[in-house]
Amino acid sequence: MEKDFDRGELIRRALEQQPAAYAPYSGFYVSAAVLADSGEIYTGVNVENASYPAGICAERNAIAHAAACGERRIRAIAIVGGPGGENRDYCAPCGICRQVMREFCNPKEMRVLTAKSPEDFRERTLEELLPESFGPEDLIRE
Ligand code: THU
């Protein structure tokens, strides 16, 4: 049985960091908070670039933050985002970010929360958002 966690707290951590998003080109401010197996929470925001493709999403920054601090397993991620930093809709993670989540989790257990507020969110497993995925185990040779 997997451990439970405080969804409201994870979403609050993402919301707290959202003003740090650097989105001068799209005006779309995204923030993510990752819960690692250790119990620590790591945040990340989208950071755009004048050379547009060099920009990076909030989710990947949060996961890279966790990995850079030595984490190798993640249990959940909360995502908030919207034009002008107003979270009127649930901000879905892009395909590349879903694949990056896949690297460090069990997709059947990993929880992806897309939130408008700590009380108003959707919850899916990564398996639901990225079915039949390719992961590290697929590269192991017998
Ligand atoms: N973005 C994210 O950071 N995460 C998402 O889940 C969707 C999109 C960013 C990328 C870009 O800086 C801006 O939002 C508009 O696409």
Side-chain angles (χ1 to χ4, degrees):
M1 179 61 181
E2 42 177 310
K3 285 178 282 178
D4 208 10
F5 65 98
D6 186 341
R7 276 114 175 119
E9 171 64 8
L10 197 61
I11 295 164
R12 269 190 292 278
R13 291 289 298 273
L15 286 167
E16 251 170 46
Q17 209 55 32
Q18 195 173 11
Y22 178 69
Y25 307 107
S26 71
F28 197 90
Y29 294 78
V30 188
S31 181
V34 163
L35 174 65
D37 253 8
S38 65
E40 282 298 316
I41 292 174
Y42 301 86
T43 56
V45 296
N46 58 330
V47 179
E48 299 184 347
N49 192 278
S51 173
Y52 290 8
I56 184 164
C57 292
E59 298 89 326
R60 267 176 288 151
N61 264 343
I63 294 165
H65 182 188
C69 291
E71 304 285 0
R72 291 296 180 265
R73 297 298 284 179
I74 60 176
R75 294 170 51 198
I77 188 168
I79 305 158
V80 297
E86 285 187 41
N87 307 315
R88 295 210 178 132
D89 293 306
Y90 304 107
C91 178
C94 80
I96 299 172
C97 288
R98 294 177 197 204
Q99 181 63 36
V100 172
M101 291 173 203
R102 173 68 178 85
E103 187 70 16
F104 298 113
C105 70
N106 174 343
K108 291 188 194 315
E109 289 176 5
M110 169 77 182
R111 305 285 151 170
V112 181
L113 313 180
T114 53
K116 294 184 191 176
S117 74
E119 297 78 33
D120 182 354
F121 61 91
R122 296 185 68 186
E123 176 166 341
R124 266 82 54 91
T125 63
L126 183 60
E127 168 91 349
E128 289 174 285
L129 297 181
L130 190 72
E132 298 182 30
S133 63
F134 185 86
E137 318 78 52
D138 295 301
L139 290 177
I140 294 169
R141 283 186 233 160
E142 294 302 316

